[in-house]
Amino acid sequence: MAGGGLMSRLGIVGELLAFLWSRKLYWMIPMVIVLLLVAGLLIFAQGSAVAPFIYTLF
């Protein structure tokens, strides 16, 4: 992957961030990151013992 930029290695998320950056929608980048973190938290906590406590937050 020599010569490949960070955005090309991130795949779809990189394309989304590049799109937002090119359209000058800088204010949406934090919202997208928070949504991805919450989605990741829900996915990874689904099969663990922490799941009941996370679902009570929402």
Side-chain angles (χ1 to χ4, degrees):
M1 284 193 180
L6 178 63
M7 293 298 180
S8 66
R9 285 183 271 170
L10 289 177
I12 294 174
V13 176
E15 288 184 25
L16 177 63
L17 291 175
F19 172 76
L20 292 175
W21 194 263
S22 68
R23 301 281 183 183
K24 298 192 181 349
L25 297 175
Y26 308 118
W27 57 274
M28 285 190 72
I29 293 174
M31 289 192 291
V32 170
I33 291 172
V34 168
L35 284 174
L36 290 173
L37 288 174
V38 169
L41 177 69
L42 290 175
I43 289 171
F44 290 124
Q46 187 175 9
S48 70
V50 185
F53 300 109
I54 291 185
Y55 288 124
T56 59
L57 295 175
F58 298 104

